[in-house]
PDB file of all heavy atoms in Angstrom:
ATOM      1  N   PHE A 175      30.723 175.062 122.561  1.00  0.00           N
ATOM      2  CA  PHE A 175      31.197 175.990 123.576  1.00  0.00           C
ATOM      3  C   PHE A 175      30.075 176.562 124.468  1.00  0.00           C
ATOM      4  O   PHE A 175      30.360 177.207 125.460  1.00  0.00           O
ATOM      5  CB  PHE A 175      31.918 177.167 122.936  1.00  0.00           C
ATOM      6  CG  PHE A 175      33.340 176.855 122.545  1.00  0.00           C
ATOM      7  CD1 PHE A 175      34.124 177.767 121.869  1.00  0.00           C
ATOM      8  CD2 PHE A 175      33.904 175.610 122.846  1.00  0.00           C
ATOM      9  CE1 PHE A 175      35.435 177.478 121.532  1.00  0.00           C
ATOM     10  CE2 PHE A 175      35.199 175.326 122.509  1.00  0.00           C
ATOM     11  CZ  PHE A 175      35.977 176.256 121.835  1.00  0.00           C
ATOM     12  N   GLU A 176      28.824 176.353 124.116  1.00  0.00           N
ATOM     13  CA  GLU A 176      27.755 176.956 124.906  1.00  0.00           C
ATOM     14  C   GLU A 176      27.415 176.052 126.093  1.00  0.00           C
ATOM     15  O   GLU A 176      26.795 175.023 125.961  1.00  0.00           O
ATOM     16  CB  GLU A 176      26.496 177.186 124.070  1.00  0.00           C
ATOM     17  CG  GLU A 176      25.406 177.914 124.829  1.00  0.00           C
ATOM     18  CD  GLU A 176      24.219 178.262 123.969  1.00  0.00           C
ATOM     19  OE1 GLU A 176      24.044 177.621 122.920  1.00  0.00           O
ATOM     20  OE2 GLU A 176      23.471 179.176 124.333  1.00  0.00           O
ATOM     21  N   ARG A 177      27.846 176.458 127.266  1.00  0.00           N
ATOM     22  CA  ARG A 177      27.563 175.672 128.454  1.00  0.00           C
ATOM     23  C   ARG A 177      27.825 176.506 129.710  1.00  0.00           C
ATOM     24  O   ARG A 177      28.525 177.523 129.655  1.00  0.00           O
ATOM     25  CB  ARG A 177      28.416 174.400 128.488  1.00  0.00           C
ATOM     26  CG  ARG A 177      29.923 174.638 128.535  1.00  0.00           C
ATOM     27  CD  ARG A 177      30.678 173.341 128.384  1.00  0.00           C
ATOM     28  NE  ARG A 177      32.108 173.490 128.521  1.00  0.00           N
ATOM     29  CZ  ARG A 177      32.918 173.816 127.522  1.00  0.00           C
ATOM     30  NH1 ARG A 177      32.416 174.048 126.326  1.00  0.00           N
ATOM     31  NH2 ARG A 177      34.218 173.941 127.719  1.00  0.00           N
ATOM     32  N   ASN A 178      27.275 176.059 130.793  1.00  0.00           N
ATOM     33  CA  ASN A 178      27.492 176.683 132.082  1.00  0.00           C
ATOM     34  C   ASN A 178      28.529 175.860 132.868  1.00  0.00           C
ATOM     35  O   ASN A 178      28.495 174.646 132.838  1.00  0.00           O
ATOM     36  CB  ASN A 178      26.202 176.763 132.889  1.00  0.00           C
ATOM     37  CG  ASN A 178      25.210 177.725 132.250  1.00  0.00           C
ATOM     38  OD1 ASN A 178      25.582 178.759 131.709  1.00  0.00           O
ATOM     39  ND2 ASN A 178      23.932 177.375 132.323  1.00  0.00           N
ATOM     40  N   ILE A 179      29.411 176.550 133.556  1.00  0.00           N
ATOM     41  CA  ILE A 179      30.374 175.897 134.431  1.00  0.00           C
ATOM     42  C   ILE A 179      29.877 176.074 135.872  1.00  0.00           C
ATOM     43  O   ILE A 179      29.654 177.209 136.319  1.00  0.00           O
ATOM     44  CB  ILE A 179      31.778 176.496 134.301  1.00  0.00           C
ATOM     45  CG1 ILE A 179      32.257 176.403 132.828  1.00  0.00           C
ATOM     46  CG2 ILE A 179      32.758 175.774 135.215  1.00  0.00           C
ATOM     47  CD1 ILE A 179      32.353 175.010 132.290  1.00  0.00           C
ATOM     48  N   THR A 180      29.650 174.980 136.562  1.00  0.00           N
ATOM     49  CA  THR A 180      29.103 175.041 137.913  1.00  0.00           C
ATOM     50  C   THR A 180      30.132 174.536 138.923  1.00  0.00           C
ATOM     51  O   THR A 180      30.959 173.688 138.616  1.00  0.00           O
ATOM     52  CB  THR A 180      27.802 174.232 138.030  1.00  0.00           C
ATOM     53  OG1 THR A 180      28.090 172.850 137.731  1.00  0.00           O
ATOM     54  CG2 THR A 180      26.739 174.755 137.083  1.00  0.00           C
ATOM     55  N   LEU A 181      30.020 175.040 140.130  1.00  0.00           N
ATOM     56  CA  LEU A 181      30.873 174.605 141.232  1.00  0.00           C
ATOM     57  C   LEU A 181      30.013 174.527 142.484  1.00  0.00           C
ATOM     58  O   LEU A 181      29.356 175.500 142.875  1.00  0.00           O
ATOM     59  CB  LEU A 181      32.025 175.607 141.466  1.00  0.00           C
ATOM     60  CG  LEU A 181      33.033 175.234 142.575  1.00  0.00           C
ATOM     61  CD1 LEU A 181      33.763 173.951 142.192  1.00  0.00           C
ATOM     62  CD2 LEU A 181      34.027 176.372 142.769  1.00  0.00           C
ATOM     63  N   PHE A 182      29.960 173.326 143.078  1.00  0.00           N
ATOM     64  CA  PHE A 182      29.116 173.083 144.253  1.00  0.00           C
ATOM     65  C   PHE A 182      27.655 173.461 143.978  1.00  0.00           C
ATOM     66  O   PHE A 182      26.984 174.058 144.823  1.00  0.00           O
ATOM     67  CB  PHE A 182      29.641 173.862 145.461  1.00  0.00           C
ATOM     68  CG  PHE A 182      31.062 173.517 145.829  1.00  0.00           C
ATOM     69  CD1 PHE A 182      32.035 174.491 145.873  1.00  0.00           C
ATOM     70  CD2 PHE A 182      31.424 172.195 146.097  1.00  0.00           C
ATOM     71  CE1 PHE A 182      33.339 174.172 146.201  1.00  0.00           C
ATOM     72  CE2 PHE A 182      32.723 171.873 146.436  1.00  0.00           C
ATOM     73  CZ  PHE A 182      33.682 172.871 146.476  1.00  0.00           C
ATOM     74  N   GLY A 183      27.206 173.139 142.761  1.00  0.00           N
ATOM     75  CA  GLY A 183      25.809 173.357 142.428  1.00  0.00           C
ATOM     76  C   GLY A 183      25.469 174.786 142.028  1.00  0.00           C
ATOM     77  O   GLY A 183      24.305 175.084 141.752  1.00  0.00           O
ATOM     78  N   ARG A 184      26.462 175.679 141.957  1.00  0.00           N
ATOM     79  CA  ARG A 184      26.181 177.067 141.597  1.00  0.00           C
ATOM     80  C   ARG A 184      26.922 177.429 140.312  1.00  0.00           C
ATOM     81  O   ARG A 184      28.092 177.070 140.128  1.00  0.00           O
ATOM     82  CB  ARG A 184      26.617 178.013 142.733  1.00  0.00           C
ATOM     83  CG  ARG A 184      25.870 177.796 144.029  1.00  0.00           C
ATOM     84  CD  ARG A 184      26.330 178.790 145.076  1.00  0.00           C
ATOM     85  NE  ARG A 184      26.047 180.184 144.665  1.00  0.00           N
ATOM     86  CZ  ARG A 184      26.360 181.241 145.394  1.00  0.00           C
ATOM     87  NH1 ARG A 184      26.984 181.089 146.568  1.00  0.00           N
ATOM     88  NH2 ARG A 184      26.086 182.468 144.962  1.00  0.00           N
ATOM     89  N   LYS A 185      26.211 178.120 139.431  1.00  0.00           N
ATOM     90  CA  LYS A 185      26.838 178.539 138.176  1.00  0.00           C
ATOM     91  C   LYS A 185      27.862 179.624 138.463  1.00  0.00           C
ATOM     92  O   LYS A 185      27.567 180.644 139.101  1.00  0.00           O
ATOM     93  CB  LYS A 185      25.787 179.059 137.208  1.00  0.00           C
ATOM     94  CG  LYS A 185      26.373 179.441 135.839  1.00  0.00           C
ATOM     95  CD  LYS A 185      25.301 179.869 134.854  1.00  0.00           C
ATOM     96  CE  LYS A 185      24.809 181.281 135.182  1.00  0.00           C
ATOM     97  NZ  LYS A 185      23.900 181.789 134.152  1.00  0.00           N
ATOM     98  N   ILE A 186      29.099 179.395 137.973  1.00  0.00           N
ATOM     99  CA  ILE A 186      30.133 180.401 138.206  1.00  0.00           C
ATOM    100  C   ILE A 186      30.530 181.123 136.923  1.00  0.00           C
ATOM    101  O   ILE A 186      31.071 182.243 136.981  1.00  0.00           O
ATOM    102  CB  ILE A 186      31.387 179.778 138.854  1.00  0.00           C
ATOM    103  CG1 ILE A 186      31.959 178.660 137.951  1.00  0.00           C
ATOM    104  CG2 ILE A 186      31.074 179.240 140.238  1.00  0.00           C
ATOM    105  CD1 ILE A 186      33.274 178.083 138.454  1.00  0.00           C
ATOM    106  N   VAL A 187      30.249 180.537 135.760  1.00  0.00           N
ATOM    107  CA  VAL A 187      30.561 181.211 134.505  1.00  0.00           C
ATOM    108  C   VAL A 187      29.730 180.588 133.391  1.00  0.00           C
ATOM    109  O   VAL A 187      29.425 179.385 133.434  1.00  0.00           O
ATOM    110  CB  VAL A 187      32.064 181.129 134.169  1.00  0.00           C
ATOM    111  CG1 VAL A 187      32.484 179.693 133.871  1.00  0.00           C
ATOM    112  CG2 VAL A 187      32.407 182.037 132.983  1.00  0.00           C
ATOM    113  N   HIS A 188      29.381 181.406 132.425  1.00  0.00           N
ATOM    114  CA  HIS A 188      28.677 180.931 131.245  1.00  0.00           C
ATOM    115  C   HIS A 188      29.572 181.135 130.023  1.00  0.00           C
ATOM    116  O   HIS A 188      30.064 182.243 129.787  1.00  0.00           O
ATOM    117  CB  HIS A 188      27.363 181.700 131.021  1.00  0.00           C
ATOM    118  CG  HIS A 188      26.677 181.341 129.733  1.00  0.00           C
ATOM    119  ND1 HIS A 188      26.011 180.156 129.545  1.00  0.00           N
ATOM    120  CD2 HIS A 188      26.580 182.033 128.561  1.00  0.00           C
ATOM    121  CE1 HIS A 188      25.525 180.116 128.317  1.00  0.00           C
ATOM    122  NE2 HIS A 188      25.851 181.231 127.704  1.00  0.00           N
ATOM    123  N   ILE A 189      29.829 180.067 129.296  1.00  0.00           N
ATOM    124  CA  ILE A 189      30.632 180.151 128.086  1.00  0.00           C
ATOM    125  C   ILE A 189      29.668 180.337 126.922  1.00  0.00           C
ATOM    126  O   ILE A 189      28.758 179.527 126.710  1.00  0.00           O
ATOM    127  CB  ILE A 189      31.463 178.873 127.885  1.00  0.00           C
ATOM    128  CG1 ILE A 189      32.429 178.691 129.073  1.00  0.00           C
ATOM    129  CG2 ILE A 189      32.253 178.941 126.573  1.00  0.00           C
ATOM    130  CD1 ILE A 189      33.260 177.461 128.992  1.00  0.00           C
ATOM    131  N   PRO A 190      29.837 181.402 126.155  1.00  0.00           N
ATOM    132  CA  PRO A 190      28.873 181.699 125.080  1.00  0.00           C
ATOM    133  C   PRO A 190      28.998 180.711 123.942  1.00  0.00           C
ATOM    134  O   PRO A 190      30.026 180.040 123.774  1.00  0.00           O
ATOM    135  CB  PRO A 190      29.294 183.096 124.627  1.00  0.00           C
ATOM    136  CG  PRO A 190      30.734 183.166 124.955  1.00  0.00           C
ATOM    137  CD  PRO A 190      30.921 182.383 126.227  1.00  0.00           C
ATOM    138  N   PRO A 191      27.950 180.582 123.118  1.00  0.00           N
ATOM    139  CA  PRO A 191      28.013 179.679 121.968  1.00  0.00           C
ATOM    140  C   PRO A 191      29.059 180.126 120.974  1.00  0.00           C
ATOM    141  O   PRO A 191      29.319 181.323 120.808  1.00  0.00           O
ATOM    142  CB  PRO A 191      26.603 179.774 121.383  1.00  0.00           C
ATOM    143  CG  PRO A 191      26.079 181.084 121.842  1.00  0.00           C
ATOM    144  CD  PRO A 191      26.671 181.306 123.207  1.00  0.00           C
ATOM    145  N   MET A 192      29.676 179.135 120.314  1.00  0.00           N
ATOM    146  CA  MET A 192      30.731 179.439 119.374  1.00  0.00           C
ATOM    147  C   MET A 192      30.230 180.349 118.239  1.00  0.00           C
ATOM    148  O   MET A 192      30.993 181.149 117.694  1.00  0.00           O
ATOM    149  CB  MET A 192      31.291 178.146 118.776  1.00  0.00           C
ATOM    150  CG  MET A 192      32.529 178.331 117.920  1.00  0.00           C
ATOM    151  SD  MET A 192      33.308 176.771 117.476  1.00  0.00           S
ATOM    152  CE  MET A 192      32.085 176.052 116.423  1.00  0.00           C
ATOM    153  N   CYS A 193      28.934 180.239 117.894  1.00  0.00           N
ATOM    154  CA  CYS A 193      28.397 181.042 116.809  1.00  0.00           C
ATOM    155  C   CYS A 193      28.457 182.524 117.141  1.00  0.00           C
ATOM    156  O   CYS A 193      28.378 183.374 116.247  1.00  0.00           O
ATOM    157  CB  CYS A 193      26.976 180.632 116.493  1.00  0.00           C
ATOM    158  SG  CYS A 193      25.853 180.680 117.895  1.00  0.00           S
ATOM    159  N   LYS A 194      28.604 182.879 118.421  1.00  0.00           N
ATOM    160  CA  LYS A 194      28.714 184.291 118.814  1.00  0.00           C
ATOM    161  C   LYS A 194      30.127 184.817 118.656  1.00  0.00           C
ATOM    162  O   LYS A 194      30.334 186.027 118.614  1.00  0.00           O
ATOM    163  CB  LYS A 194      28.278 184.459 120.271  1.00  0.00           C
ATOM    164  CG  LYS A 194      26.831 184.073 120.572  1.00  0.00           C
ATOM    165  CD  LYS A 194      25.854 185.048 119.946  1.00  0.00           C
ATOM    166  CE  LYS A 194      24.429 184.708 120.378  1.00  0.00           C
ATOM    167  NZ  LYS A 194      23.464 185.610 119.728  1.00  0.00           N
ATOM    168  N   ILE A 195      31.118 183.950 118.635  1.00  0.00           N
ATOM    169  CA  ILE A 195      32.506 184.388 118.619  1.00  0.00           C
ATOM    170  C   ILE A 195      33.281 183.908 117.402  1.00  0.00           C
ATOM    171  O   ILE A 195      34.425 184.272 117.223  1.00  0.00           O
ATOM    172  CB  ILE A 195      33.226 183.934 119.911  1.00  0.00           C
ATOM    173  CG1 ILE A 195      33.229 182.408 120.001  1.00  0.00           C
ATOM    174  CG2 ILE A 195      32.592 184.535 121.133  1.00  0.00           C
ATOM    175  CD1 ILE A 195      34.017 181.857 121.187  1.00  0.00           C
ATOM    176  N   ASN A 196      32.686 183.078 116.564  1.00  0.00           N
ATOM    177  CA  ASN A 196      33.381 182.536 115.408  1.00  0.00           C
ATOM    178  C   ASN A 196      32.699 183.035 114.144  1.00  0.00           C
ATOM    179  O   ASN A 196      31.598 182.595 113.802  1.00  0.00           O
ATOM    180  CB  ASN A 196      33.350 181.003 115.460  1.00  0.00           C
ATOM    181  CG  ASN A 196      34.233 180.390 114.373  1.00  0.00           C
ATOM    182  OD1 ASN A 196      34.562 181.023 113.381  1.00  0.00           O
ATOM    183  ND2 ASN A 196      34.605 179.137 114.563  1.00  0.00           N
ATOM    184  N   PRO A 197      33.340 183.925 113.385  1.00  0.00           N
ATOM    185  CA  PRO A 197      32.712 184.491 112.181  1.00  0.00           C
ATOM    186  C   PRO A 197      32.581 183.472 111.043  1.00  0.00           C
ATOM    187  O   PRO A 197      31.976 183.791 110.035  1.00  0.00           O
ATOM    188  CB  PRO A 197      33.683 185.618 111.788  1.00  0.00           C
ATOM    189  CG  PRO A 197      34.998 185.208 112.344  1.00  0.00           C
ATOM    190  CD  PRO A 197      34.681 184.482 113.634  1.00  0.00           C
ATOM    191  N   LEU A 198      33.159 182.289 111.199  1.00  0.00           N
ATOM    192  CA  LEU A 198      33.049 181.250 110.190  1.00  0.00           C
ATOM    193  C   LEU A 198      32.104 180.136 110.603  1.00  0.00           C
ATOM    194  O   LEU A 198      32.049 179.084 109.990  1.00  0.00           O
ATOM    195  CB  LEU A 198      34.426 180.668 109.851  1.00  0.00           C
ATOM    196  CG  LEU A 198      35.449 181.686 109.325  1.00  0.00           C
ATOM    197  CD1 LEU A 198      36.806 181.023 109.144  1.00  0.00           C
ATOM    198  CD2 LEU A 198      34.986 182.286 108.005  1.00  0.00           C
ATOM    199  N   TYR A 199      31.358 180.378 111.673  1.00  0.00           N
ATOM    200  CA  TYR A 199      30.469 179.337 112.192  1.00  0.00           C
ATOM    201  C   TYR A 199      29.413 178.950 111.154  1.00  0.00           C
ATOM    202  O   TYR A 199      29.068 177.771 111.001  1.00  0.00           O
ATOM    203  CB  TYR A 199      29.790 179.810 113.476  1.00  0.00           C
ATOM    204  CG  TYR A 199      28.933 178.748 114.141  1.00  0.00           C
ATOM    205  CD1 TYR A 199      29.518 177.684 114.799  1.00  0.00           C
ATOM    206  CD2 TYR A 199      27.540 178.798 114.057  1.00  0.00           C
ATOM    207  CE1 TYR A 199      28.747 176.703 115.411  1.00  0.00           C
ATOM    208  CE2 TYR A 199      26.759 177.818 114.663  1.00  0.00           C
ATOM    209  CZ  TYR A 199      27.367 176.773 115.327  1.00  0.00           C
ATOM    210  OH  TYR A 199      26.616 175.794 115.907  1.00  0.00           O
ATOM    211  N   GLU A 200      28.867 179.937 110.440  1.00  0.00           N
ATOM    212  CA  GLU A 200      27.855 179.620 109.439  1.00  0.00           C
ATOM    213  C   GLU A 200      28.425 178.738 108.329  1.00  0.00           C
ATOM    214  O   GLU A 200      27.731 177.871 107.785  1.00  0.00           O
ATOM    215  CB  GLU A 200      27.296 180.908 108.829  1.00  0.00           C
ATOM    216  CG  GLU A 200      26.402 181.702 109.787  1.00  0.00           C
ATOM    217  CD  GLU A 200      25.721 182.852 109.118  1.00  0.00           C
ATOM    218  OE1 GLU A 200      25.815 182.958 107.873  1.00  0.00           O
ATOM    219  OE2 GLU A 200      25.133 183.698 109.819  1.00  0.00           O
ATOM    220  N   GLN A 201      29.686 178.954 108.015  1.00  0.00           N
ATOM    221  CA  GLN A 201      30.341 178.105 106.995  1.00  0.00           C
ATOM    222  C   GLN A 201      30.469 176.682 107.510  1.00  0.00           C
ATOM    223  O   GLN A 201      30.248 175.700 106.765  1.00  0.00           O
ATOM    224  CB  GLN A 201      31.701 178.680 106.627  1.00  0.00           C
ATOM    225  CG  GLN A 201      31.666 179.831 105.647  1.00  0.00           C
ATOM    226  CD  GLN A 201      30.997 181.082 106.210  1.00  0.00           C
ATOM    227  OE1 GLN A 201      31.243 181.452 107.346  1.00  0.00           O
ATOM    228  NE2 GLN A 201      30.153 181.701 105.412  1.00  0.00           N
ATOM    229  N   LEU A 202      30.804 176.514 108.782  1.00  0.00           N
ATOM    230  CA  LEU A 202      30.889 175.169 109.374  1.00  0.00           C
ATOM    231  C   LEU A 202      29.556 174.469 109.346  1.00  0.00           C
ATOM    232  O   LEU A 202      29.435 173.316 108.935  1.00  0.00           O
ATOM    233  CB  LEU A 202      31.383 175.278 110.818  1.00  0.00           C
ATOM    234  CG  LEU A 202      32.891 175.387 111.052  1.00  0.00           C
ATOM    235  CD1 LEU A 202      33.170 175.688 112.521  1.00  0.00           C
ATOM    236  CD2 LEU A 202      33.599 174.093 110.647  1.00  0.00           C
ATOM    237  N   VAL A 203      28.521 175.171 109.815  1.00  0.00           N
ATOM    238  CA  VAL A 203      27.178 174.584 109.853  1.00  0.00           C
ATOM    239  C   VAL A 203      26.712 174.243 108.438  1.00  0.00           C
ATOM    240  O   VAL A 203      26.143 173.157 108.185  1.00  0.00           O
ATOM    241  CB  VAL A 203      26.194 175.552 110.524  1.00  0.00           C
ATOM    242  CG1 VAL A 203      24.759 175.048 110.382  1.00  0.00           C
ATOM    243  CG2 VAL A 203      26.530 175.724 112.003  1.00  0.00           C
ATOM    244  N   GLY A 204      26.955 175.160 107.509  1.00  0.00           N
ATOM    245  CA  GLY A 204      26.546 174.915 106.129  1.00  0.00           C
ATOM    246  C   GLY A 204      27.250 173.743 105.513  1.00  0.00           C
ATOM    247  O   GLY A 204      26.648 172.925 104.796  1.00  0.00           O
ATOM    248  N   LEU A 205      28.547 173.594 105.788  1.00  0.00           N
ATOM    249  CA  LEU A 205      29.314 172.462 105.245  1.00  0.00           C
ATOM    250  C   LEU A 205      28.794 171.154 105.816  1.00  0.00           C
ATOM    251  O   LEU A 205      28.617 170.175 105.074  1.00  0.00           O
ATOM    252  CB  LEU A 205      30.779 172.632 105.577  1.00  0.00           C
ATOM    253  CG  LEU A 205      31.677 171.463 105.151  1.00  0.00           C
ATOM    254  CD1 LEU A 205      31.615 171.253 103.647  1.00  0.00           C
ATOM    255  CD2 LEU A 205      33.131 171.705 105.585  1.00  0.00           C
ATOM    256  N   ARG A 206      28.544 171.120 107.112  1.00  0.00           N
ATOM    257  CA  ARG A 206      28.056 169.883 107.727  1.00  0.00           C
ATOM    258  C   ARG A 206      26.687 169.513 107.149  1.00  0.00           C
ATOM    259  O   ARG A 206      26.418 168.348 106.874  1.00  0.00           O
ATOM    260  CB  ARG A 206      27.956 170.030 109.258  1.00  0.00           C
ATOM    261  CG  ARG A 206      27.774 168.703 109.974  1.00  0.00           C
ATOM    262  CD  ARG A 206      27.788 168.865 111.484  1.00  0.00           C
ATOM    263  NE  ARG A 206      28.014 167.590 112.132  1.00  0.00           N
ATOM    264  CZ  ARG A 206      27.031 166.683 112.344  1.00  0.00           C
ATOM    265  NH1 ARG A 206      25.812 166.931 111.957  1.00  0.00           N
ATOM    266  NH2 ARG A 206      27.330 165.523 112.934  1.00  0.00           N
ATOM    267  N   PHE A 207      25.833 170.519 106.932  1.00  0.00           N
ATOM    268  CA  PHE A 207      24.504 170.252 106.379  1.00  0.00           C
ATOM    269  C   PHE A 207      24.633 169.726 104.937  1.00  0.00           C
ATOM    270  O   PHE A 207      23.922 168.782 104.575  1.00  0.00           O
ATOM    271  CB  PHE A 207      23.668 171.540 106.405  1.00  0.00           C
ATOM    272  CG  PHE A 207      22.316 171.389 105.779  1.00  0.00           C
ATOM    273  CD1 PHE A 207      21.282 170.766 106.468  1.00  0.00           C
ATOM    274  CD2 PHE A 207      22.070 171.857 104.490  1.00  0.00           C
ATOM    275  CE1 PHE A 207      20.030 170.610 105.901  1.00  0.00           C
ATOM    276  CE2 PHE A 207      20.813 171.690 103.908  1.00  0.00           C
ATOM    277  CZ  PHE A 207      19.796 171.077 104.618  1.00  0.00           C
TER     278      PHE A 207
END
Side-chain angles (χ1 to χ4, degrees):
F175 280 176
E176 185 174 22
R177 62 188 184 274
N178 293 323
I179 303 299
T180 61
L181 182 64
F182 302 122
R184 298 182 61 181
K185 183 176 76 173
I186 58 174
V187 66
H188 174 74
I189 300 179
M192 188 170 67
C193 55
K194 298 290 186 183
I195 61 176
N196 188 340
L198 300 176
Y199 185 74
E200 289 187 10
Q201 280 66 44
L202 277 171
V203 171
L205 176 60
R206 193 176 197 279
F207 178 77

